[in-house]
Amino acid sequence: MQRLHTLQQKMRDEYLSFNKYMCLKNFKVYPFIVMYKKYLMSEGAYTYKIQDLIEKIKIVDKNLGEFCQAEILFLQGNFSQSLEILNRLKPNQVKNTEIYYLIHKNYIFLNEKNKADSILYELLMFSNRKKTWLYLANNVSSQQQFIRFKKLFFKKINIQVEKNIQIFNYYSEAALRSCNYKEALDIWIIFIKNIKNNIKPQQKKYFSDKNAEQALLNLKEMLDNSNIPFFLVSGTLLGCIRENKILPHDKDLDIGVFSEKINKERLIKTILYSGFFEILPTRISEQVKLKHHNGTYIDIFIHNKKDEYIWHYAAKIKWFNTPFNLKKIKFLNTEFLVPENTDQYLIENYGQDWTVPKVDFDSNFDTPNAVISNQQEMQIFYVRMLAYKYLHNDINSLSFNRLVENLSNEVIECLKQELILTK
């Protein structure tokens, strides 16, 4: 009952947010928007129900119906057609931030990144919506882009009084994407020093294991139909083998593909045309990040054989496993591929006692097969985690001490000079 109430509240909050940023004036569209979101989450962008519903929305609110049509075209990979509708809507909906974001995303996948940036800088001229900085940060890939980002950021944001920790995350991401590690460190130092000004913590992202199940099944159908073999890894595999379910305390889904058995361009194209998933930016080529319509995040790790191990990668860490074949296993009333020797794989990832749930397990320190691949990124990550510890007044915990122990001498000295660490 509590879960149903939470989901209903989440859907209502999403509508109110949608209403705020879409500048809707007719409350009669509320039930249509609820059904529209529901169909997208459960059946994807290709269901005939969506198109029928859009026609009904157009009767109540023509502009909203056109926007929904543009969103569906985007989710089907028809970026130029989506853009055509949005550019037609924009002059009459100048305060509608969602139109700007969807125009931005279309330009990204049309590989017109300058136009993608320009539409966001235009939006910043009249909107203070924080989400704009997320999109801008994710598009930074050069020193020149970061300089432009930084200049406008400090013009628009007073970081000495800013209370949203995500803003600091966005700046840090832009700095990391352009390899400005000192800039990323400095912004977290400013945040930690601001804690005394009663910066309030942000709400945790809601993770639904039921939504995750739906996302995994949609992913399987999409990849199976395109003959792209994949297998469960990491926490998703652990949940499958140990609990026979998605771990409810997890934050995303993890799957793997072998580099020699897939064509990445074909994988990307399959996702873009899926009607269920949106591709998110990453900083490395061996990882593909997705987001399902229901809010579930998925990491696809491309596995490479090198020397005597199989490796997969993230921005700051890489993991190794003994070479493995695959086998089928029953999960979620269907079959998934998993490493053939699941016991060996999970021992390598989680230790000999992987069968025992550990509430204090920290993947940043307790994963036996993890190797730091970018020390500078890892140091920024540790300081960022310290910022969250300060934010939640969790500075006497074991995990706080473990973070400090893993800081480099240079970073420790820097934090001491700023009076953040005293010993």
Side-chain angles (χ1 to χ4, degrees):
M1 192 71 181
Q2 179 63 35
R3 178 186 292 241
L4 178 61
H5 174 74
T6 302
L7 289 172
Q8 288 174 335
Q9 182 64 42
K10 183 171 182 283
M11 186 169 283
R12 180 178 180 275
D13 290 345
E14 283 181 352
Y15 169 75
L16 293 175
S17 175
F18 193 75
N19 176 55
K20 177 180 177 181
Y21 295 117
M22 287 291 295
C23 307
L24 303 180
K25 298 179 180 178
N26 192 339
F27 194 74
K28 291 180 181 178
V29 300
Y30 171 69
F32 295 111
I33 292 301
V34 171
M35 290 304 296
Y36 174 77
K37 293 291 185 183
K38 179 182 176 183
Y39 288 151
L40 269 184
M41 287 193 294
S42 61
E43 301 185 42
Y46 286 97
T47 176
Y48 71 91
K49 296 177 184 176
I50 285 279
Q51 198 56 54
D52 288 347
L53 191 58
I54 287 174
E55 295 306 316
K56 293 177 181 177
I57 292 173
K58 286 180 181 178
I59 295 173
V60 181
D61 188 325
K62 188 172 187 251
N63 287 331
L64 176 60
E66 288 288 315
F67 175 83
C68 292
Q69 186 71 65
E71 184 176 47
I72 291 301
L73 287 168
F74 168 78
L75 293 170
Q76 293 174 345
N78 297 312
F79 308 121
S80 295
Q81 294 178 51
S82 175
L83 203 52
E84 184 180 339
I85 293 174
L86 293 168
N87 284 329
R88 189 169 66 241
L89 280 175
K90 183 169 163 279
N92 300 319
Q93 297 271 297
V94 291
K95 300 296 183 182
N96 185 335
T97 58
E98 291 298 322
I99 286 180
Y100 285 78
Y101 293 147
L102 193 51
I103 290 174
H104 165 79
K105 290 192 281 189
N106 275 297
Y107 277 135
I108 287 290
F109 290 110
L110 288 169
N111 204 29
E112 297 190 50
K113 293 192 175 183
N114 288 336
K115 289 184 178 179
D117 268 353
S118 294
I119 195 71
L120 295 180
Y121 284 117
E122 180 183 339
L123 177 59
L124 282 172
M125 295 302 103
F126 66 85
S127 170
N128 293 321
R129 193 174 177 190
K130 302 297 191 288
K131 189 176 180 181
T132 309
W133 296 106
L134 167 64
Y135 286 124
L136 279 171
N138 282 334
N139 209 29
V140 170
S141 60
S142 68
Q143 186 67 20
Q144 184 179 2
Q145 285 178 312
F146 177 72
I147 291 171
R148 185 184 184 193
F149 176 95
K150 177 182 177 180
K151 183 178 179 180
L152 191 57
F153 182 90
F154 283 103
K155 180 180 178 182
K156 299 286 261 184
I157 305 291
N158 184 347
I159 59 170
Q160 303 302 331
V161 298
E162 177 58 51
K163 295 182 179 181
N164 188 334
I165 192 173
Q166 291 304 331
I167 285 295
F168 293 83
N169 268 318
Y170 301 154
Y171 186 91
S172 177
E173 179 69 14
L176 290 173
R177 284 182 171 275
S178 53
C179 299
N180 285 284
Y181 299 112
K182 184 65 166 60
E183 294 275 358
L185 175 62
D186 288 346
I187 201 72
W188 287 117
I189 288 175
I190 291 171
F191 176 80
I192 294 172
K193 292 173 73 174
N194 282 353
I195 295 298
K196 59 185 178 182
N197 294 332
N198 299 316
I199 297 178
K200 296 180 180 179
Q202 305 299 299
Q203 287 186 331
K204 284 188 174 181
K205 289 183 178 178
Y206 177 76
F207 180 84
S208 162
D209 49 338
K210 293 301 179 186
N211 281 351
E213 288 180 6
Q214 182 64 51
L216 185 57
L217 292 171
N218 290 149
L219 182 77
K220 174 177 170 56
E221 181 182 16
M222 173 188 76
L223 296 181
D224 285 353
N225 287 342
S226 297
N227 294 314
I228 298 175
F230 74 97
F231 47 95
L232 306 183
V233 297
S234 302
T236 304
L237 177 64
L238 180 66
C240 168
I241 302 300
R242 191 178 71 191
E243 315 284 347
N244 194 32
K245 64 180 182 179
I246 304 291
L247 296 175
H249 60 269
D250 214 340
K251 59 182 180 181
D252 57 19
L253 297 172
D254 302 300
I255 73 162
V257 294
F258 287 125
S259 59
E260 68 271 18
K261 292 188 177 180
I262 63 116
N263 178 296
K264 187 179 177 183
E265 287 185 12
R266 183 165 169 265
L267 172 64
I268 297 294
K269 188 173 181 181
T270 298
I271 297 166
L272 290 177
Y273 286 86
S274 69
F276 276 107
F277 299 97
E278 182 179 341
I279 295 180
L280 303 178
T282 60
R283 297 203 298 279
I284 61 169
S285 60
E286 296 92 349
Q287 182 186 26
V288 180
K289 295 182 78 71
L290 314 179
K291 184 181 179 183
H292 190 277
H293 298 325
N294 65 24
T296 302
Y297 291 88
I298 302 175
D299 283 328
I300 301 178
F301 295 102
I302 299 175
H303 288 56
N304 296 299
K305 179 90 183 299
K306 185 178 180 183
D307 300 326
E308 60 197 276
Y309 294 111
I310 291 177
W311 295 84
H312 66 282
Y313 308 81
K316 57 189 178 293
I317 296 177
K318 58 183 179 181
W319 299 266
F320 64 90
N321 288 99
T322 302
F324 54 86
N325 296 316
L326 301 174
K327 67 177 181 182
K328 291 182 179 179
I329 193 170
K330 193 82 170 178
F331 184 52
L332 302 181
N333 297 316
T334 186
E335 288 186 333
F336 286 88
L337 290 173
V338 299
E340 188 172 42
N341 190 339
T342 53
D343 186 63
Q344 180 183 35
Y345 180 95
L346 291 170
I347 286 174
E348 291 176 350
N349 279 54
Y350 298 102
Q352 291 286 346
D353 57 349
W354 66 267
T355 57
V356 181
K358 302 187 222 26
V359 294
D360 59 347
F361 182 87
D362 190 328
S363 61
N364 299 302
F365 306 109
D366 300 326
T367 307
N369 63 338
V371 177
I372 297 174
S373 56
N374 188 321
Q375 286 287 352
Q376 290 173 298
E377 284 242 5
M378 201 67 198
Q379 289 297 308
I380 301 303
F381 173 78
Y382 291 147
V383 176
R384 175 174 172 266
M385 290 298 98
L386 282 177
Y388 276 92
K389 294 294 183 182
Y390 278 102
L391 179 65
H392 295 287
N393 196 25
D394 185 25
I395 60 175
N396 296 312
S397 64
L398 174 62
S399 55
F400 179 91
N401 292 330
R402 292 177 78 181
L403 284 167
V404 174
E405 288 168 4
N406 280 273
L407 292 174
S408 67
N409 291 334
E410 181 183 355
V411 172
I412 287 176
E413 286 304 313
C414 183
L415 295 179
K416 283 183 177 179
Q417 288 176 16
E418 298 292 342
L419 303 180
I420 291 171
L421 293 179
T422 57
K423 60 180 180 177

